[in-house]
Amino acid sequence: MAGEQQLQVLNALDVAKTQWYHFTAIVVAGMGFFTDAYDLFCVSLVTKLLGRIYYHVDGSPTPGSLPPHVASAINGVAFIGTLSGQLFFGWLGDKLGRKKVYGMTLMLMVLCSVASGLSFGHTPASVMATLCFFRFWLGFGIGGDYPLSATIMSEYANKKTRGAFIAAVFAMQGFGILAGGLVSIIVSSSFRILFPAPAYDVDPVNSTPSQADFVWRIIVMLGALPAALTYYWRTKMPETARYTALVAKNAKQAAVDMSKVLQVEITEEQAKAAGQPSNNKSAAFGLFSGEFLRRHGLHLLGTSATWFLLDVAFYSQNLFQKDIFSAVGWIPKAATMSALDEVFRIARAQTLIALCGTVPGYWFTVALIDVVGRFVIQVMGFFFMGVFMLGLAIPYHHWTAPGNHVGFVVLYGLTFFFANFGPNSTTFIVPAEIFPARLRSTCHGISAASGKLGAIAGGFGFLYLAQSPDPRQTDHGYTPGIGVRNSLFILAGCNLLGLLFTFLVPESKGKSLEEMSGENEVIGAEATGYNRTVPV
Protein backbone atom coordinates (compact mmCIF):
# COMPACT_ATOMS: atom_id res chain seq x y z
CA MET A 1 0.00 0.00 0.00
CA ALA A 2 2.80 2.43 0.87
CA GLY A 3 4.43 1.70 -2.48
CA GLU A 4 1.19 2.46 -4.35
CA GLN A 5 0.82 5.76 -2.50
CA GLN A 6 4.42 6.60 -3.28
CA LEU A 7 3.73 6.03 -6.96
CA GLN A 8 0.74 8.36 -6.68
CA VAL A 9 2.69 11.28 -5.23
CA LEU A 10 5.47 10.97 -7.78
CA ASN A 11 2.92 10.58 -10.57
CA ALA A 12 1.18 13.77 -9.39
CA LEU A 13 4.41 15.69 -10.00
CA ASP A 14 5.06 14.00 -13.35
CA VAL A 15 1.64 14.76 -14.83
CA ALA A 16 1.21 18.28 -13.38
CA LYS A 17 0.26 20.80 -16.05
CA THR A 18 2.77 23.43 -17.11
CA GLN A 19 2.17 26.41 -14.84
CA TRP A 20 3.41 29.95 -14.35
CA TYR A 21 5.79 28.86 -11.61
CA HIS A 22 7.66 26.62 -14.05
CA PHE A 23 8.52 29.69 -16.13
CA THR A 24 9.44 31.67 -13.02
CA ALA A 25 11.83 28.88 -12.02
CA ILE A 26 13.38 28.89 -15.50
CA VAL A 27 14.14 32.62 -15.27
CA VAL A 28 15.42 32.49 -11.67
CA ALA A 29 17.64 29.47 -12.33
CA GLY A 30 18.59 30.71 -15.79
CA MET A 31 20.02 33.98 -14.53
CA GLY A 32 22.77 32.00 -12.84
CA PHE A 33 23.75 30.57 -16.24
CA PHE A 34 23.43 33.97 -17.86
CA THR A 35 26.01 35.23 -15.36
CA ASP A 36 28.08 32.07 -15.82
CA ALA A 37 28.41 32.55 -19.56
CA TYR A 38 28.87 36.31 -19.32
CA ASP A 39 31.66 36.07 -16.77
CA LEU A 40 33.50 33.11 -18.29
CA PHE A 41 33.45 34.43 -21.83
CA CYS A 42 33.75 38.22 -21.42
CA VAL A 43 37.27 37.77 -20.10
CA SER A 44 38.30 36.50 -23.54
CA LEU A 45 37.23 39.87 -24.95
CA VAL A 46 39.50 41.92 -22.70
CA THR A 47 42.67 39.80 -22.53
CA LYS A 48 44.24 41.71 -25.42
CA LEU A 49 43.35 44.98 -23.71
CA LEU A 50 44.95 43.79 -20.47
CA GLY A 51 48.11 43.01 -22.44
CA ARG A 52 48.23 46.50 -23.95
CA ILE A 53 47.63 48.22 -20.59
CA TYR A 54 49.88 46.22 -18.29
CA TYR A 55 52.52 44.66 -20.56
CA HIS A 56 53.46 47.43 -23.00
CA VAL A 57 57.08 47.24 -24.17
CA ASP A 58 58.64 50.51 -25.37
CA GLY A 59 59.96 50.26 -28.90
CA SER A 60 58.14 47.02 -29.71
CA PRO A 61 56.61 46.85 -33.22
CA THR A 62 53.56 45.08 -31.79
CA PRO A 63 51.25 46.00 -28.87
CA GLY A 64 51.85 44.48 -25.46
CA SER A 65 50.34 41.04 -24.83
CA LEU A 66 49.82 38.90 -21.77
CA PRO A 67 52.68 36.48 -21.08
CA PRO A 68 51.59 32.88 -21.71
CA HIS A 69 51.49 31.96 -18.02
CA VAL A 70 49.35 35.01 -17.19
CA ALA A 71 46.92 34.38 -20.07
CA SER A 72 46.66 30.74 -19.01
CA ALA A 73 46.03 31.71 -15.40
CA ILE A 74 43.29 34.24 -16.19
CA ASN A 75 41.49 31.81 -18.47
CA GLY A 76 42.15 28.76 -16.32
CA VAL A 77 41.57 29.73 -12.69
CA ALA A 78 37.85 30.26 -13.24
CA PHE A 79 37.63 26.77 -14.76
CA ILE A 80 39.47 25.24 -11.82
CA GLY A 81 37.14 27.07 -9.47
CA THR A 82 34.11 25.91 -11.46
CA LEU A 83 35.28 22.29 -11.36
CA SER A 84 35.78 22.50 -7.59
CA GLY A 85 32.39 24.13 -7.09
CA GLN A 86 30.61 21.51 -9.18
CA LEU A 87 31.97 18.70 -7.04
CA PHE A 88 31.51 20.47 -3.69
CA PHE A 89 28.05 21.96 -4.21
CA GLY A 90 26.88 18.87 -6.06
CA TRP A 91 27.65 16.80 -2.97
CA LEU A 92 26.27 19.49 -0.65
CA GLY A 93 23.03 19.68 -2.63
CA ASP A 94 22.35 16.02 -1.85
CA LYS A 95 23.56 16.33 1.73
CA LEU A 96 21.75 19.50 2.88
CA GLY A 97 19.11 19.97 0.19
CA ARG A 98 18.98 21.97 -3.02
CA LYS A 99 17.43 25.13 -1.57
CA LYS A 100 19.81 25.59 1.38
CA VAL A 101 22.85 26.03 -0.81
CA TYR A 102 21.17 27.59 -3.88
CA GLY A 103 21.43 31.15 -2.59
CA MET A 104 25.08 30.70 -1.59
CA THR A 105 26.22 30.08 -5.15
CA LEU A 106 24.48 33.17 -6.53
CA MET A 107 25.79 35.49 -3.82
CA LEU A 108 29.30 34.18 -4.41
CA MET A 109 28.93 35.02 -8.11
CA VAL A 110 27.70 38.55 -7.40
CA LEU A 111 30.43 39.40 -4.90
CA CYS A 112 33.27 37.94 -6.96
CA SER A 113 32.10 39.54 -10.23
CA VAL A 114 32.31 42.94 -8.58
CA ALA A 115 35.59 42.11 -6.83
CA SER A 116 37.14 40.94 -10.13
CA GLY A 117 36.58 44.40 -11.59
CA LEU A 118 38.11 46.01 -8.50
CA SER A 119 41.42 44.16 -8.87
CA PHE A 120 44.08 46.72 -8.04
CA GLY A 121 47.79 46.68 -7.32
CA HIS A 122 51.02 48.61 -7.66
CA THR A 123 52.42 46.29 -10.34
CA PRO A 124 50.93 44.38 -13.29
CA ALA A 125 51.70 41.10 -11.51
CA SER A 126 49.74 42.12 -8.41
CA VAL A 127 46.72 43.23 -10.48
CA MET A 128 46.71 39.93 -12.37
CA ALA A 129 47.14 37.92 -9.16
CA THR A 130 44.19 39.69 -7.52
CA LEU A 131 42.07 39.20 -10.62
CA CYS A 132 42.91 35.48 -10.69
CA PHE A 133 42.09 35.10 -6.99
CA PHE A 134 38.58 36.51 -7.37
CA ARG A 135 37.99 34.67 -10.65
CA PHE A 136 38.70 31.38 -8.88
CA TRP A 137 35.97 32.05 -6.32
CA LEU A 138 33.70 33.37 -9.04
CA GLY A 139 34.14 30.02 -10.79
CA PHE A 140 33.50 28.21 -7.51
CA GLY A 141 30.08 29.85 -7.27
CA ILE A 142 29.34 29.26 -10.94
CA GLY A 143 30.25 25.59 -10.53
CA GLY A 144 27.64 25.14 -7.82
CA ASP A 145 24.93 26.44 -10.11
CA TYR A 146 25.36 23.56 -12.57
CA PRO A 147 24.18 20.61 -10.45
CA LEU A 148 21.75 22.64 -8.34
CA SER A 149 19.89 24.39 -11.16
CA ALA A 150 19.66 21.25 -13.28
CA THR A 151 18.46 19.11 -10.37
CA ILE A 152 15.93 21.65 -9.12
CA MET A 153 14.44 22.14 -12.58
CA SER A 154 14.24 18.40 -13.26
CA GLU A 155 12.50 17.77 -9.93
CA TYR A 156 9.99 20.59 -10.44
CA ALA A 157 9.12 19.72 -14.04
CA ASN A 158 6.58 17.27 -15.39
CA LYS A 159 7.90 14.42 -17.48
CA LYS A 160 6.30 15.63 -20.71
CA THR A 161 8.21 18.94 -20.90
CA ARG A 162 11.08 18.30 -18.48
CA GLY A 163 13.76 18.34 -21.17
CA ALA A 164 12.59 21.68 -22.57
CA PHE A 165 12.51 23.26 -19.11
CA ILE A 166 16.05 22.16 -18.21
CA ALA A 167 17.27 23.15 -21.69
CA ALA A 168 15.67 26.60 -21.29
CA VAL A 169 17.62 27.15 -18.06
CA PHE A 170 20.85 26.20 -19.82
CA ALA A 171 19.93 28.25 -22.90
CA MET A 172 20.32 31.41 -20.85
CA GLN A 173 24.05 30.85 -21.42
CA GLY A 174 23.49 31.91 -25.01
CA PHE A 175 22.06 35.23 -23.91
CA GLY A 176 24.95 35.61 -21.45
CA ILE A 177 27.49 35.18 -24.25
CA LEU A 178 25.52 37.60 -26.43
CA ALA A 179 25.28 40.12 -23.60
CA GLY A 180 29.03 39.91 -23.00
CA GLY A 181 29.62 40.90 -26.60
CA LEU A 182 26.99 43.66 -26.65
CA VAL A 183 28.18 45.21 -23.38
CA SER A 184 31.76 45.19 -24.69
CA ILE A 185 30.65 46.86 -27.93
CA ILE A 186 28.70 49.56 -26.10
CA VAL A 187 31.38 50.27 -23.49
CA SER A 188 34.29 50.27 -25.96
CA SER A 189 32.34 52.42 -28.45
CA SER A 190 31.47 54.96 -25.75
CA PHE A 191 35.09 55.26 -24.64
CA ARG A 192 36.28 55.46 -28.28
CA ILE A 193 34.03 58.49 -28.80
CA LEU A 194 34.98 60.14 -25.52
CA PHE A 195 38.69 59.36 -25.70
CA PRO A 196 39.79 58.97 -29.36
CA ALA A 197 43.20 57.38 -29.84
CA PRO A 198 45.52 56.71 -32.81
CA ALA A 199 46.52 53.26 -34.02
CA TYR A 200 49.49 51.57 -32.36
CA ASP A 201 51.74 51.89 -35.42
CA VAL A 202 51.06 55.66 -35.45
CA ASP A 203 51.56 56.36 -31.73
CA PRO A 204 52.31 53.29 -29.58
CA VAL A 205 51.94 55.06 -26.22
CA ASN A 206 48.79 57.08 -26.87
CA SER A 207 47.06 54.22 -28.73
CA THR A 208 46.06 52.96 -25.27
CA PRO A 209 44.44 55.89 -23.40
CA SER A 210 44.67 55.77 -19.61
CA GLN A 211 40.87 55.53 -19.43
CA ALA A 212 41.04 52.10 -21.12
CA ASP A 213 41.74 50.64 -17.69
CA PHE A 214 38.11 51.40 -16.79
CA VAL A 215 36.78 49.56 -19.85
CA TRP A 216 37.66 46.02 -18.82
CA ARG A 217 36.65 46.68 -15.21
CA ILE A 218 33.18 47.91 -16.20
CA ILE A 219 32.66 44.97 -18.57
CA VAL A 220 33.63 42.42 -15.91
CA MET A 221 31.61 43.98 -13.09
CA LEU A 222 28.37 44.28 -15.05
CA GLY A 223 28.16 40.48 -14.97
CA ALA A 224 26.96 40.76 -11.37
CA LEU A 225 23.81 42.68 -12.25
CA PRO A 226 21.49 39.88 -13.55
CA ALA A 227 22.40 37.57 -10.67
CA ALA A 228 21.85 40.29 -8.07
CA LEU A 229 18.40 41.03 -9.49
CA THR A 230 17.25 37.43 -9.03
CA TYR A 231 18.81 36.70 -5.63
CA TYR A 232 15.64 37.49 -3.66
CA TRP A 233 13.46 35.13 -5.72
CA ARG A 234 16.00 32.36 -5.51
CA THR A 235 16.00 32.47 -1.71
CA LYS A 236 12.20 32.22 -1.76
CA MET A 237 12.09 29.06 -3.86
CA PRO A 238 10.87 26.09 -1.77
CA GLU A 239 12.75 22.80 -1.59
CA THR A 240 11.65 20.34 -4.27
CA ALA A 241 8.99 17.85 -3.17
CA ARG A 242 11.08 14.93 -4.40
CA TYR A 243 14.01 15.84 -2.16
CA THR A 244 11.84 16.70 0.84
CA ALA A 245 9.77 13.53 0.63
CA LEU A 246 12.26 10.97 -0.70
CA VAL A 247 15.54 12.14 0.84
CA ALA A 248 14.79 14.45 3.79
CA LYS A 249 11.71 12.33 4.78
CA ASN A 250 9.73 15.45 5.75
CA ALA A 251 6.27 14.46 4.55
CA LYS A 252 4.33 17.47 5.77
CA GLN A 253 6.74 20.03 4.35
CA ALA A 254 6.74 18.40 0.91
CA ALA A 255 2.96 18.74 0.65
CA VAL A 256 2.97 22.31 1.96
CA ASP A 257 5.81 23.51 -0.31
CA MET A 258 4.35 22.22 -3.54
CA SER A 259 0.84 23.44 -2.76
CA LYS A 260 2.28 26.97 -2.52
CA VAL A 261 3.78 27.05 -5.99
CA LEU A 262 2.20 24.24 -8.07
CA GLN A 263 -1.42 23.26 -8.49
CA VAL A 264 -0.91 19.55 -7.82
CA GLU A 265 -2.90 17.19 -5.63
CA ILE A 266 -0.35 16.01 -3.06
CA THR A 267 -1.91 15.10 0.27
CA GLU A 268 0.16 14.82 3.40
CA GLU A 269 -0.71 11.14 3.56
CA GLN A 270 0.68 10.55 0.08
CA ALA A 271 3.81 12.53 0.85
CA LYS A 272 4.23 10.60 4.08
CA ALA A 273 4.02 7.34 2.14
CA ALA A 274 6.54 8.65 -0.38
CA GLY A 275 8.92 9.44 2.43
CA GLN A 276 8.67 6.10 4.18
CA PRO A 277 12.03 4.31 4.50
CA SER A 278 12.34 1.44 2.10
CA ASN A 279 12.64 -2.12 3.39
CA ASN A 280 14.67 -2.99 0.31
CA LYS A 281 18.35 -2.63 1.26
CA SER A 282 19.37 -2.32 -2.38
CA ALA A 283 17.51 1.00 -2.46
CA ALA A 284 20.00 2.55 -0.04
CA PHE A 285 23.17 1.93 -2.06
CA GLY A 286 25.79 4.67 -2.02
CA LEU A 287 27.87 6.29 -4.72
CA PHE A 288 30.90 4.05 -4.13
CA SER A 289 28.95 0.80 -3.81
CA GLY A 290 28.93 -2.19 -6.11
CA GLU A 291 25.18 -1.76 -6.57
CA PHE A 292 25.66 1.77 -7.92
CA LEU A 293 28.40 0.52 -10.23
CA ARG A 294 26.11 -2.22 -11.54
CA ARG A 295 23.10 0.03 -12.05
CA HIS A 296 24.62 3.37 -13.04
CA GLY A 297 28.37 2.92 -13.52
CA LEU A 298 28.22 2.95 -17.32
CA HIS A 299 25.71 5.80 -17.23
CA LEU A 300 28.06 7.96 -15.16
CA LEU A 301 30.96 7.05 -17.46
CA GLY A 302 28.84 8.03 -20.45
CA THR A 303 27.68 11.38 -19.07
CA SER A 304 31.18 12.25 -17.84
CA ALA A 305 33.07 11.20 -20.98
CA THR A 306 30.69 12.92 -23.40
CA TRP A 307 30.78 16.15 -21.41
CA PHE A 308 34.59 15.99 -21.20
CA LEU A 309 35.02 15.49 -24.95
CA LEU A 310 32.43 18.11 -25.83
CA ASP A 311 34.08 20.76 -23.68
CA VAL A 312 37.54 20.03 -25.10
CA ALA A 313 36.18 21.09 -28.49
CA PHE A 314 33.67 23.73 -27.37
CA TYR A 315 35.80 25.78 -25.00
CA SER A 316 38.98 25.63 -27.03
CA GLN A 317 37.13 27.40 -29.84
CA ASN A 318 35.02 29.75 -27.77
CA LEU A 319 37.72 31.14 -25.50
CA PHE A 320 40.18 31.74 -28.28
CA GLN A 321 37.97 32.58 -31.22
CA LYS A 322 39.54 36.06 -31.32
CA ASP A 323 42.82 34.35 -32.26
CA ILE A 324 41.08 32.32 -34.97
CA PHE A 325 39.49 35.46 -36.42
CA SER A 326 42.89 37.17 -36.42
CA ALA A 327 44.51 34.14 -38.06
CA VAL A 328 42.11 34.24 -41.03
CA GLY A 329 42.29 38.01 -41.37
CA TRP A 330 38.76 38.82 -40.19
CA ILE A 331 40.25 41.16 -37.58
CA PRO A 332 43.10 43.46 -38.73
CA LYS A 333 46.57 43.19 -37.28
CA ALA A 334 46.78 44.57 -33.76
CA ALA A 335 49.32 47.24 -34.69
CA THR A 336 46.86 48.85 -37.11
CA MET A 337 44.28 49.47 -34.35
CA SER A 338 44.07 51.37 -31.10
CA ALA A 339 43.39 49.41 -27.89
CA LEU A 340 39.68 50.28 -27.85
CA ASP A 341 39.32 49.58 -31.58
CA GLU A 342 40.63 46.08 -30.95
CA VAL A 343 38.14 45.44 -28.12
CA PHE A 344 35.31 46.70 -30.33
CA ARG A 345 36.25 44.50 -33.31
CA ILE A 346 36.75 41.34 -31.24
CA ALA A 347 33.44 41.95 -29.45
CA ARG A 348 31.64 42.51 -32.75
CA ALA A 349 32.97 39.26 -34.18
CA GLN A 350 32.02 37.25 -31.09
CA THR A 351 28.56 38.83 -30.95
CA LEU A 352 27.93 37.94 -34.59
CA ILE A 353 28.83 34.30 -33.92
CA ALA A 354 26.61 34.26 -30.82
CA LEU A 355 23.68 35.86 -32.66
CA CYS A 356 23.84 33.62 -35.72
CA GLY A 357 25.05 30.32 -34.30
CA THR A 358 25.20 30.06 -30.53
CA VAL A 359 21.83 31.44 -29.38
CA PRO A 360 19.64 29.76 -32.07
CA GLY A 361 21.24 26.39 -31.32
CA TYR A 362 20.18 26.52 -27.67
CA TRP A 363 16.56 27.30 -28.51
CA PHE A 364 16.35 24.66 -31.23
CA THR A 365 17.16 22.22 -28.43
CA VAL A 366 14.43 23.69 -26.22
CA ALA A 367 11.88 23.30 -29.01
CA LEU A 368 12.79 19.78 -30.11
CA ILE A 369 14.32 17.87 -27.19
CA ASP A 370 11.02 16.44 -25.98
CA VAL A 371 10.06 15.61 -29.58
CA VAL A 372 13.11 13.79 -30.97
CA GLY A 373 14.83 12.95 -27.69
CA ARG A 374 18.20 13.54 -26.07
CA PHE A 375 20.06 10.71 -27.80
CA VAL A 376 19.26 11.83 -31.36
CA ILE A 377 20.19 15.46 -30.67
CA GLN A 378 23.48 14.50 -29.01
CA VAL A 379 24.55 12.08 -31.74
CA MET A 380 23.56 14.54 -34.47
CA GLY A 381 25.40 17.38 -32.72
CA PHE A 382 28.66 15.48 -32.29
CA PHE A 383 28.47 14.26 -35.90
CA PHE A 384 27.95 17.67 -37.49
CA MET A 385 30.49 19.37 -35.22
CA GLY A 386 33.04 16.85 -36.44
CA VAL A 387 32.00 17.33 -40.08
CA PHE A 388 32.23 21.11 -39.95
CA MET A 389 35.57 21.07 -38.13
CA LEU A 390 36.92 18.84 -40.88
CA GLY A 391 35.39 21.26 -43.36
CA LEU A 392 37.45 24.00 -41.75
CA ALA A 393 40.63 21.95 -41.39
CA ILE A 394 41.03 20.13 -44.71
CA PRO A 395 40.90 23.23 -46.98
CA TYR A 396 42.26 25.51 -44.25
CA HIS A 397 44.69 27.29 -46.58
CA HIS A 398 41.77 28.07 -48.89
CA TRP A 399 39.84 29.71 -46.04
CA THR A 400 42.83 31.88 -45.08
CA ALA A 401 43.20 33.25 -48.62
CA PRO A 402 41.84 36.77 -49.24
CA GLY A 403 38.13 36.81 -50.09
CA ASN A 404 37.26 33.51 -48.41
CA HIS A 405 36.88 34.69 -44.84
CA VAL A 406 33.08 34.74 -44.90
CA GLY A 407 32.92 31.04 -45.74
CA PHE A 408 35.23 30.24 -42.86
CA VAL A 409 33.09 32.21 -40.41
CA VAL A 410 29.90 30.51 -41.65
CA LEU A 411 31.33 27.03 -41.05
CA TYR A 412 32.76 28.15 -37.74
CA GLY A 413 29.33 29.47 -36.71
CA LEU A 414 27.70 26.16 -37.71
CA THR A 415 29.99 24.25 -35.35
CA PHE A 416 28.62 26.39 -32.51
CA PHE A 417 25.06 25.91 -33.70
CA PHE A 418 25.37 22.12 -33.60
CA ALA A 419 27.25 22.24 -30.31
CA ASN A 420 24.29 23.98 -28.70
CA PHE A 421 21.66 22.15 -30.74
CA GLY A 422 23.52 19.08 -29.61
CA PRO A 423 25.82 17.87 -26.83
CA ASN A 424 26.45 21.21 -25.11
CA SER A 425 22.77 21.17 -24.06
CA THR A 426 22.12 17.44 -23.71
CA THR A 427 25.18 16.74 -21.56
CA PHE A 428 23.75 19.23 -19.06
CA ILE A 429 20.22 17.81 -19.15
CA VAL A 430 20.65 14.03 -18.98
CA PRO A 431 22.68 13.73 -15.73
CA ALA A 432 19.80 15.48 -13.93
CA GLU A 433 17.38 12.78 -15.09
CA ILE A 434 18.93 9.34 -14.82
CA PHE A 435 20.35 9.05 -11.27
CA PRO A 436 18.54 8.44 -7.94
CA ALA A 437 17.25 11.49 -6.04
CA ARG A 438 19.68 11.10 -3.14
CA LEU A 439 22.66 11.03 -5.57
CA ARG A 440 21.30 13.17 -8.40
CA SER A 441 23.07 16.42 -7.58
CA THR A 442 26.34 14.63 -6.81
CA CYS A 443 26.36 12.69 -10.07
CA HIS A 444 25.48 15.79 -12.06
CA GLY A 445 28.35 17.59 -10.34
CA ILE A 446 30.76 14.77 -11.24
CA SER A 447 29.63 14.84 -14.88
CA ALA A 448 29.89 18.64 -15.03
CA ALA A 449 33.34 18.59 -13.38
CA SER A 450 34.48 16.14 -16.05
CA GLY A 451 33.32 18.68 -18.61
CA LYS A 452 35.28 21.46 -16.97
CA LEU A 453 38.32 19.20 -16.95
CA GLY A 454 37.84 18.99 -20.70
CA ALA A 455 37.50 22.77 -20.88
CA ILE A 456 40.81 23.15 -19.04
CA ALA A 457 42.49 20.62 -21.34
CA GLY A 458 40.99 22.18 -24.46
CA GLY A 459 41.59 25.75 -23.40
CA PHE A 460 45.19 25.33 -22.34
CA GLY A 461 45.93 22.83 -25.09
CA PHE A 462 44.56 25.03 -27.84
CA LEU A 463 46.39 28.07 -26.49
CA TYR A 464 49.71 26.32 -27.13
CA LEU A 465 48.88 23.80 -29.87
CA ALA A 466 47.36 26.38 -32.23
CA GLN A 467 50.60 28.34 -32.39
CA SER A 468 52.26 28.33 -35.81
CA PRO A 469 54.95 25.68 -36.38
CA ASP A 470 57.12 28.54 -37.69
CA PRO A 471 58.90 30.12 -34.68
CA ARG A 472 58.83 33.48 -36.46
CA GLN A 473 55.02 33.52 -36.54
CA THR A 474 54.24 32.44 -32.98
CA ASP A 475 52.80 34.89 -30.46
CA HIS A 476 55.28 36.53 -28.14
CA GLY A 477 56.34 34.16 -25.34
CA TYR A 478 54.92 31.00 -26.91
CA THR A 479 56.75 28.02 -28.34
CA PRO A 480 55.91 26.70 -31.82
CA GLY A 481 52.83 24.48 -31.97
CA ILE A 482 51.05 22.39 -34.58
CA GLY A 483 48.97 25.26 -36.00
CA VAL A 484 45.24 25.96 -36.16
CA ARG A 485 44.65 23.46 -38.97
CA ASN A 486 46.07 20.44 -37.14
CA SER A 487 44.35 21.54 -33.93
CA LEU A 488 41.03 21.41 -35.75
CA PHE A 489 41.75 17.82 -36.81
CA ILE A 490 42.27 16.89 -33.14
CA LEU A 491 39.00 18.57 -32.16
CA ALA A 492 37.16 16.68 -34.91
CA GLY A 493 38.51 13.44 -33.41
CA CYS A 494 37.18 14.45 -29.98
CA ASN A 495 33.72 14.80 -31.52
CA LEU A 496 33.91 11.30 -32.99
CA LEU A 497 34.81 9.85 -29.59
CA GLY A 498 31.97 11.82 -28.00
CA LEU A 499 29.54 10.30 -30.48
CA LEU A 500 30.67 6.80 -29.53
CA PHE A 501 30.39 7.42 -25.75
CA THR A 502 26.84 8.70 -26.28
CA PHE A 503 25.74 5.07 -26.70
CA LEU A 504 26.40 4.53 -22.97
CA VAL A 505 23.75 7.10 -22.02
CA PRO A 506 20.06 6.00 -21.86
CA GLU A 507 17.23 7.95 -23.49
CA SER A 508 15.05 9.73 -20.91
CA LYS A 509 12.44 11.36 -23.15
CA GLY A 510 8.92 11.00 -21.74
CA LYS A 511 10.00 8.89 -18.75
CA SER A 512 9.73 9.76 -15.07
CA LEU A 513 12.83 10.43 -13.00
CA GLU A 514 12.09 7.33 -10.92
CA GLU A 515 11.76 5.15 -14.00
CA MET A 516 15.12 6.36 -15.31
CA SER A 517 16.91 5.98 -11.97
CA GLY A 518 15.37 2.57 -11.22
CA GLU A 519 13.80 3.86 -8.02
CA ASN A 520 10.33 2.79 -9.10
CA GLU A 521 11.53 -0.84 -9.26
CA VAL A 522 11.90 -0.72 -5.50
CA ILE A 523 8.56 1.06 -5.10
CA GLY A 524 6.87 -1.44 -7.36
CA ALA A 525 8.32 -4.38 -5.46
CA GLU A 526 6.99 -3.00 -2.19
CA ALA A 527 3.57 -2.30 -3.70
CA THR A 528 3.06 -5.71 -5.32
CA GLY A 529 5.31 -8.04 -3.41
CA TYR A 530 7.74 -8.81 -6.22
CA ASN A 531 10.36 -6.89 -8.11
CA ARG A 532 9.23 -5.37 -11.38
CA THR A 533 9.32 -2.02 -13.12
CA VAL A 534 6.14 -0.07 -12.52
CA PRO A 535 5.38 2.67 -15.06
CA VAL A 536 4.37 6.04 -13.67
Side-chain angles (χ1 to χ4, degrees), residues 98-304:
R98 290 59 159 131
K99 172 185 167 58
K100 287 184 179 179
V101 293
Y102 205 30
M104 297 180 199
T105 61
L106 199 70
M107 185 50 64
L108 200 54
M109 280 189 263
V110 172
L111 294 176
C112 292
S113 290
V114 174
S116 294
L118 297 176
S119 301
F120 293 105
H122 295 293
T123 64
S126 61
V127 174
M128 296 301 113
T130 309
L131 177 61
C132 288
F133 174 81
F134 287 118
R135 285 192 60 75
F136 172 85
W137 290 108
L138 169 65
F140 195 71
I142 286 172
D145 233 46
Y146 275 72
L148 293 172
S149 290
T151 300
I152 286 172
M153 202 67 240
S154 71
E155 292 180 346
Y156 272 134
N158 59 61
K159 65 181 180 181
K160 183 178 179 181
T161 57
R162 185 180 62 238
F165 286 166
I166 305 173
V169 170
F170 194 64
M172 296 303 289
Q173 278 198 336
F175 290 124
I177 296 169
L178 186 60
L182 289 175
V183 168
S184 299
I185 288 172
I186 293 170
V187 173
S188 61
S189 296
S190 301
F191 274 75
R192 282 200 308 170
I193 294 170
L194 294 171
F195 309 104
Y200 182 86
D201 55 10
V202 174
D203 188 342
V205 175
N206 292 320
S207 67
T208 305
S210 59
Q211 295 83 2
D213 193 47
F214 293 109
V215 172
W216 73 268
R217 297 179 187 277
I218 292 171
I219 292 172
V220 169
M221 285 193 289
L222 283 176
L225 186 60
L229 292 175
T230 57
Y231 178 75
Y232 172 79
W233 286 275
R234 183 173 285 204
T235 60
K236 294 298 180 182
M237 292 179 75
E239 184 58 84
T240 68
R242 277 187 164 93
Y243 182 87
T244 306
L246 298 177
V247 183
K249 312 297 184 187
N250 190 334
K252 183 177 181 180
Q253 194 62 43
V256 171
D257 286 346
M258 286 301 98
S259 65
K260 287 180 180 178
V261 295
L262 293 176
Q263 297 175 2
V264 291
E265 295 294 330
I266 304 177
T267 66
E268 185 178 334
E269 288 71 25
Q270 289 176 336
K272 191 174 295 182
Q276 288 296 318
S278 172
N279 294 325
N280 191 327
K281 293 184 179 180
S282 68
F285 59 84
L287 180 65
F288 300 104
S289 66
E291 186 70 14
F292 178 87
L293 185 64
R294 182 181 70 81
R295 291 178 179 232
H296 300 292
L298 287 178
H299 298 163
L300 187 57
L301 174 63
T303 57
S304 299

Side-chain angles (χ1 to χ4, degrees), residues 377-410:
I377 289 177
Q378 186 158 311
V379 167
M380 177 190 67
F382 271 127
F383 174 77
F384 281 111
M385 283 178 70
V387 167
F388 287 123
M389 285 183 182
L390 289 175
L392 291 171
I394 294 173
Y396 181 73
H397 299 297
H398 166 76
W399 296 125
T400 56
N404 299 327
H405 303 146
V406 174
F408 182 95
V409 173
V410 169

Side-chain angles (χ1 to χ4, degrees), residues 5 37 60 225 231 236 346 368 391:
Q5 288 178 313
S60 173
L225 186 60
Y231 178 75
K236 294 298 180 182
I346 294 171
L368 296 175

Side-chain angles (χ1 to χ4, degrees), residues 240-467:
T240 68
R242 277 187 164 93
Y243 182 87
T244 306
L246 298 177
V247 183
K249 312 297 184 187
N250 190 334
K252 183 177 181 180
Q253 194 62 43
V256 171
D257 286 346
M258 286 301 98
S259 65
K260 287 180 180 178
V261 295
L262 293 176
Q263 297 175 2
V264 291
E265 295 294 330
I266 304 177
T267 66
E268 185 178 334
E269 288 71 25
Q270 289 176 336
K272 191 174 295 182
Q276 288 296 318
S278 172
N279 294 325
N280 191 327
K281 293 184 179 180
S282 68
F285 59 84
L287 180 65
F288 300 104
S289 66
E291 186 70 14
F292 178 87
L293 185 64
R294 182 181 70 81
R295 291 178 179 232
H296 300 292
L298 287 178
H299 298 163
L300 187 57
L301 174 63
T303 57
S304 299
T306 52
W307 207 333
F308 173 85
L309 292 163
L310 175 275
D311 276 6
V312 169
F314 184 78
Y315 279 88
S316 62
Q317 287 193 104
N318 218 331
L319 277 175
F320 306 105
Q321 62 183 242
K322 64 182 184 302
D323 297 311
I324 294 176
F325 287 138
S326 297
V328 300
W330 216 53
I331 295 176
K333 291 186 179 299
T336 65
M337 299 181 285
S338 70
L340 297 178
D341 285 338
E342 189 172 34
V343 173
F344 173 81
R345 289 176 179 272
I346 294 171
R348 186 178 62 179
Q350 179 161 318
T351 304
L352 180 63
I353 290 294
L355 193 61
C356 298
T358 304
V359 175
Y362 282 115
W363 292 98
F364 266 75
T365 300
V366 173
L368 296 175
I369 192 164
D370 288 313
V371 178
V372 301
R374 290 75 163 145
F375 179 83
V376 171
I377 289 177
Q378 186 158 311
V379 167
M380 177 190 67
F382 271 127
F383 174 77
F384 281 111
M385 283 178 70
V387 167
F388 287 123
M389 285 183 182
L390 289 175
L392 291 171
I394 294 173
Y396 181 73
H397 299 297
H398 166 76
W399 296 125
T400 56
N404 299 327
H405 303 146
V406 174
F408 182 95
V409 173
V410 169
L411 285 182
Y412 185 67
L414 284 170
T415 63
F416 278 108
F417 175 81
F418 281 103
N420 296 312
F421 181 39
N424 194 40
S425 295
T426 54
T427 53
F428 174 79
I429 295 166
V430 175
E433 299 181 307
I434 64 176
F435 299 106
R438 66 187 179 281
L439 299 172
R440 185 169 292 135
S441 181
T442 301
C443 290
H444 193 285
I446 292 171
S447 302
S450 299
K452 277 297 169 284
L453 194 62
I456 293 169
F460 287 122
F462 192 83
L463 188 63
Y464 289 90
L465 286 176
Q467 294 296 319

